[in-house]
Amino acid sequence: MAKGHRSQIKRERNASKDTRPSAKVSYARVSVTKACFVLDAIRGKDVQTALAILAYNPRYASSVIEKLLKSAIANAENNYPDKNYKAENLYIAECYANKGPTMKRIQPRAQGRAYRIEKRTSHITIVLDER
């Protein structure tokens, strides 16, 4: 059965919109599993601790996530003038990586065979909140 008019459904969806500062990178050239190793290390930490962890983490995904975290901090300070967020009070409320499209490539092998190489991508999101 119908749940209401289209505009009413949109109004309800927008009313429950998350107002916490966040940043998202789409089509990052790192697989979800490799990104999750780094995200698990910083989940729930305050931003200064998380930036220190990311600076000394040897994984490639940490450089991508460090840039994303700095972007989320800048979004919190500049895009929410009514909330007046300070970087020292922020912590990572949510961070997750979703699967993006996979690029398929061909690797030539012996005797005319061809093996498929899958270059995976991910969409990484960081949501901050104030303590």
Side-chain angles (χ1 to χ4, degrees):
M1 284 287 139
K3 296 189 186 230
H5 194 266
R6 191 177 330 138
S7 61
Q8 181 185 357
I9 294 168
K10 281 185 173 181
R11 204 175 305 116
E12 290 171 3
R13 186 173 54 220
N14 290 337
S16 64
K17 197 170 185 180
D18 195 6
T19 59
R20 297 179 294 181
S22 65
K24 179 178 181 179
V25 61
S26 297
Y27 309 104
R29 267 293 291 120
V30 60
S31 70
V32 174
T33 50
K34 291 176 182 177
C36 281
F37 280 123
V38 179
L39 290 173
D40 290 341
I42 64 168
R43 188 173 287 116
K45 305 261 192 317
D46 60 293
V47 292
Q48 283 83 14
T49 308
L51 284 171
I53 290 169
L54 293 171
Y56 292 102
N57 195 326
R59 292 181 176 271
Y60 168 74
S62 64
S63 62
V64 174
I65 294 170
E66 182 181 14
K67 194 172 177 182
L68 180 65
L69 179 57
K70 287 178 180 176
S71 175
I73 294 166
N75 287 345
E77 291 174 339
N78 297 319
N79 297 351
Y80 295 88
D82 52 331
K83 299 271 185 158
N84 204 6
Y85 288 114
K86 297 260 190 298
E88 55 268 9
N89 299 333
L90 295 172
Y91 77 101
I92 298 172
E94 292 177 33
C95 57
Y96 52 88
N98 293 326
K99 189 176 163 215
T102 303
M103 297 185 286
K104 277 106 177 160
R105 299 293 181 261
I106 298 299
Q107 173 74 38
R109 301 300 290 199
Q111 298 179 355
R113 292 186 179 90
Y115 281 9
R116 174 176 281 175
I117 292 178
E118 295 185 338
K119 296 180 178 243
R120 299 180 190 276
T121 62
S122 58
H123 307 309
I124 306 169
T125 306
I126 291 180
V127 179
L128 303 178
D129 207 355
E130 203 167 29
R131 285 209 195 272

